[in-house]
Short mmCIF file of all heavy atoms in Angstrom, two decimals:
data_model
loop_
_atom_site.label_atom_id
_atom_site.label_comp_id
_atom_site.label_asym_id
_atom_site.label_seq_id
_atom_site.Cartn_x
_atom_site.Cartn_y
_atom_site.Cartn_z
N THR G 1077 -11.49 -3.49 7.61
CA THR G 1077 -12.02 -4.53 8.51
C THR G 1077 -10.93 -5.17 9.35
O THR G 1077 -11.17 -6.14 10.04
CB THR G 1077 -12.73 -5.62 7.69
OG1 THR G 1077 -11.79 -6.20 6.77
CG2 THR G 1077 -13.89 -5.02 6.91
N SER G 1078 -9.68 -4.63 9.20
CA SER G 1078 -8.52 -5.18 9.92
C SER G 1078 -8.21 -6.60 9.53
O SER G 1078 -7.57 -7.35 10.26
CB SER G 1078 -8.73 -5.12 11.45
OG SER G 1078 -8.88 -3.78 11.86
N SER G 1079 -8.72 -7.04 8.38
CA SER G 1079 -8.40 -8.38 7.88
C SER G 1079 -7.37 -8.25 6.77
O SER G 1079 -7.35 -7.26 6.05
CB SER G 1079 -9.65 -9.07 7.34
OG SER G 1079 -10.19 -8.33 6.26
N PHE G 1080 -6.56 -9.26 6.62
CA PHE G 1080 -5.50 -9.22 5.61
C PHE G 1080 -6.02 -9.81 4.31
O PHE G 1080 -6.33 -10.98 4.22
CB PHE G 1080 -4.29 -10.02 6.10
CG PHE G 1080 -3.06 -9.78 5.30
CD1 PHE G 1080 -2.26 -8.66 5.54
CD2 PHE G 1080 -2.69 -10.64 4.29
CE1 PHE G 1080 -1.13 -8.43 4.78
CE2 PHE G 1080 -1.55 -10.41 3.54
CZ PHE G 1080 -0.78 -9.30 3.79
N LEU G 1081 -6.16 -8.96 3.29
CA LEU G 1081 -6.71 -9.42 2.03
C LEU G 1081 -5.61 -9.89 1.11
O LEU G 1081 -4.54 -9.30 1.09
CB LEU G 1081 -7.48 -8.26 1.37
CG LEU G 1081 -8.67 -7.71 2.16
CD1 LEU G 1081 -9.32 -6.57 1.40
CD2 LEU G 1081 -9.70 -8.81 2.42
N PRO G 1082 -5.86 -10.96 0.33
CA PRO G 1082 -4.83 -11.47 -0.58
C PRO G 1082 -4.53 -10.49 -1.70
O PRO G 1082 -5.37 -9.70 -2.11
CB PRO G 1082 -5.45 -12.76 -1.13
CG PRO G 1082 -6.92 -12.58 -0.96
CD PRO G 1082 -7.10 -11.77 0.29
N VAL G 1083 -3.33 -10.56 -2.24
CA VAL G 1083 -2.88 -9.66 -3.28
C VAL G 1083 -3.71 -9.81 -4.54
O VAL G 1083 -3.92 -8.86 -5.29
CB VAL G 1083 -1.39 -9.94 -3.61
CG1 VAL G 1083 -0.90 -9.05 -4.74
CG2 VAL G 1083 -0.53 -9.72 -2.38
N SER G 1084 -4.22 -11.00 -4.79
CA SER G 1084 -4.89 -11.27 -6.06
C SER G 1084 -6.29 -10.67 -6.15
O SER G 1084 -6.90 -10.70 -7.20
CB SER G 1084 -4.97 -12.79 -6.29
OG SER G 1084 -5.68 -13.40 -5.23
N VAL G 1085 -6.85 -10.14 -5.04
CA VAL G 1085 -8.20 -9.59 -5.07
C VAL G 1085 -8.20 -8.30 -5.87
O VAL G 1085 -7.51 -7.34 -5.51
CB VAL G 1085 -8.72 -9.32 -3.64
CG1 VAL G 1085 -10.06 -8.61 -3.70
CG2 VAL G 1085 -8.85 -10.64 -2.89
N PRO G 1086 -8.95 -8.20 -6.97
CA PRO G 1086 -8.98 -6.98 -7.78
C PRO G 1086 -9.80 -5.89 -7.11
O PRO G 1086 -10.72 -6.16 -6.35
CB PRO G 1086 -9.62 -7.44 -9.09
CG PRO G 1086 -10.51 -8.57 -8.68
CD PRO G 1086 -9.81 -9.26 -7.56
N GLY G 1087 -9.48 -4.63 -7.40
CA GLY G 1087 -10.25 -3.50 -6.90
C GLY G 1087 -10.31 -3.45 -5.40
O GLY G 1087 -11.36 -3.18 -4.81
N ILE G 1088 -9.21 -3.72 -4.72
CA ILE G 1088 -9.18 -3.76 -3.27
C ILE G 1088 -9.54 -2.40 -2.69
O ILE G 1088 -9.19 -1.36 -3.25
CB ILE G 1088 -7.79 -4.23 -2.80
CG1 ILE G 1088 -7.82 -4.53 -1.31
CG2 ILE G 1088 -6.73 -3.20 -3.08
CD1 ILE G 1088 -6.60 -5.25 -0.84
N GLY G 1089 -10.30 -2.39 -1.60
CA GLY G 1089 -10.80 -1.13 -1.06
C GLY G 1089 -9.71 -0.28 -0.43
O GLY G 1089 -9.33 0.75 -0.94
N GLY G 1090 -9.19 -0.74 0.68
CA GLY G 1090 -8.13 0.01 1.34
C GLY G 1090 -8.69 1.00 2.33
O GLY G 1090 -9.60 1.76 2.04
N GLY G 1091 -8.17 0.98 3.54
CA GLY G 1091 -8.66 1.90 4.57
C GLY G 1091 -8.15 3.31 4.37
O GLY G 1091 -7.24 3.56 3.60
N SER G 1092 -8.78 4.22 5.11
CA SER G 1092 -8.39 5.63 4.99
C SER G 1092 -6.99 5.88 5.51
O SER G 1092 -6.39 6.90 5.22
CB SER G 1092 -9.39 6.50 5.76
OG SER G 1092 -9.41 6.13 7.14
N GLN G 1093 -6.45 4.94 6.31
CA GLN G 1093 -5.11 5.12 6.87
C GLN G 1093 -4.02 4.57 5.95
O GLN G 1093 -2.84 4.72 6.24
CB GLN G 1093 -5.02 4.42 8.23
CG GLN G 1093 -5.95 5.02 9.27
CD GLN G 1093 -5.80 4.35 10.62
OE1 GLN G 1093 -4.90 3.55 10.83
NE2 GLN G 1093 -6.70 4.65 11.54
N SER G 1094 -4.40 3.92 4.86
CA SER G 1094 -3.40 3.42 3.92
C SER G 1094 -2.66 4.60 3.28
O SER G 1094 -3.24 5.67 3.08
CB SER G 1094 -4.06 2.59 2.81
OG SER G 1094 -4.69 1.44 3.35
N SER G 1095 -1.39 4.40 2.97
CA SER G 1095 -0.61 5.46 2.34
C SER G 1095 0.06 4.93 1.08
O SER G 1095 0.12 3.73 0.85
CB SER G 1095 0.45 5.99 3.32
OG SER G 1095 1.31 4.95 3.74
N ASP G 1096 0.57 5.84 0.28
CA ASP G 1096 1.18 5.50 -1.00
C ASP G 1096 2.57 4.91 -0.76
O ASP G 1096 3.48 5.60 -0.29
CB ASP G 1096 1.28 6.76 -1.86
CG ASP G 1096 1.62 6.45 -3.31
OD1 ASP G 1096 2.22 5.39 -3.56
OD2 ASP G 1096 1.30 7.28 -4.18
N VAL G 1097 2.74 3.63 -1.08
CA VAL G 1097 4.02 2.97 -0.84
C VAL G 1097 5.12 3.52 -1.74
O VAL G 1097 6.31 3.38 -1.45
CB VAL G 1097 3.88 1.44 -1.00
CG1 VAL G 1097 3.77 1.07 -2.48
CG2 VAL G 1097 5.06 0.70 -0.37
N SER G 1098 4.73 4.17 -2.86
CA SER G 1098 5.74 4.71 -3.77
C SER G 1098 6.54 5.85 -3.13
O SER G 1098 7.62 6.18 -3.60
CB SER G 1098 5.10 5.19 -5.07
OG SER G 1098 4.27 6.31 -4.86
N GLU G 1099 5.99 6.46 -2.07
CA GLU G 1099 6.75 7.48 -1.36
C GLU G 1099 8.00 6.88 -0.72
O GLU G 1099 9.04 7.51 -0.63
CB GLU G 1099 5.87 8.16 -0.31
CG GLU G 1099 4.71 8.95 -0.89
CD GLU G 1099 3.84 9.57 0.18
OE1 GLU G 1099 4.20 9.42 1.38
OE2 GLU G 1099 2.82 10.20 -0.16
N ILE G 1100 7.87 5.61 -0.27
CA ILE G 1100 9.02 4.93 0.33
C ILE G 1100 9.98 4.44 -0.75
O ILE G 1100 11.20 4.61 -0.64
CB ILE G 1100 8.54 3.74 1.19
CG1 ILE G 1100 7.59 4.22 2.29
CG2 ILE G 1100 9.74 3.02 1.81
CD1 ILE G 1100 6.99 3.09 3.11
N THR G 1101 9.42 3.84 -1.81
CA THR G 1101 10.29 3.35 -2.87
C THR G 1101 11.03 4.49 -3.56
O THR G 1101 12.15 4.31 -4.02
CB THR G 1101 9.48 2.56 -3.92
OG1 THR G 1101 8.48 3.40 -4.49
CG2 THR G 1101 8.82 1.34 -3.30
N ARG G 1102 10.41 5.68 -3.61
CA ARG G 1102 11.07 6.83 -4.21
C ARG G 1102 12.29 7.23 -3.37
O ARG G 1102 13.34 7.58 -3.91
CB ARG G 1102 10.10 8.00 -4.33
CG ARG G 1102 10.65 9.18 -5.14
CD ARG G 1102 9.63 10.30 -5.24
NE ARG G 1102 8.39 9.83 -5.84
CZ ARG G 1102 7.22 9.77 -5.20
NH1 ARG G 1102 7.16 10.13 -3.93
NH2 ARG G 1102 6.14 9.33 -5.82
N GLU G 1103 12.14 7.16 -2.05
CA GLU G 1103 13.27 7.49 -1.17
C GLU G 1103 14.43 6.52 -1.40
O GLU G 1103 15.60 6.91 -1.40
CB GLU G 1103 12.84 7.43 0.29
CG GLU G 1103 12.09 8.63 0.77
CD GLU G 1103 11.90 8.61 2.28
OE1 GLU G 1103 10.96 7.94 2.75
OE2 GLU G 1103 12.71 9.23 2.99
N ILE G 1104 14.08 5.25 -1.58
CA ILE G 1104 15.12 4.25 -1.82
C ILE G 1104 15.78 4.48 -3.17
O ILE G 1104 17.01 4.41 -3.31
CB ILE G 1104 14.53 2.83 -1.73
CG1 ILE G 1104 13.98 2.57 -0.33
CG2 ILE G 1104 15.58 1.79 -2.09
CD1 ILE G 1104 13.28 1.24 -0.18
N ALA G 1105 14.98 4.77 -4.19
CA ALA G 1105 15.52 5.00 -5.54
C ALA G 1105 16.44 6.21 -5.57
O ALA G 1105 17.42 6.25 -6.33
CB ALA G 1105 14.38 5.18 -6.53
N GLU G 1106 16.17 7.21 -4.72
CA GLU G 1106 17.00 8.42 -4.70
C GLU G 1106 18.40 8.17 -4.16
O GLU G 1106 19.27 9.03 -4.29
CB GLU G 1106 16.31 9.50 -3.87
CG GLU G 1106 15.10 10.12 -4.56
CD GLU G 1106 14.37 11.12 -3.68
OE1 GLU G 1106 14.72 11.22 -2.48
OE2 GLU G 1106 13.43 11.77 -4.18
#
C-alpha cells in the first residue's frame, strides 16, 4: 500500500518487490 508499517506489527505482509535483507548483511559479514 506504499505505507510505512511499524516494526512491531506481527505477521507483516510485505510487497512482492521486497527482498531478503540477509543478502546484504551476508556481504558485509564476508
Side-chain angles (χ1 to χ4, degrees):
T1077 60
S1078 298
S1079 61
F1080 194 82
L1081 299 179
V1083 177
S1084 59
V1085 174
I1088 191 168
S1092 60
Q1093 297 182 10
S1094 297
S1095 59
D1096 193 335
V1097 74
S1098 67
E1099 294 179 3
I1100 302 176
T1101 60
R1102 189 179 303 114
E1103 281 190 277
I1104 298 175
E1106 287 176 353

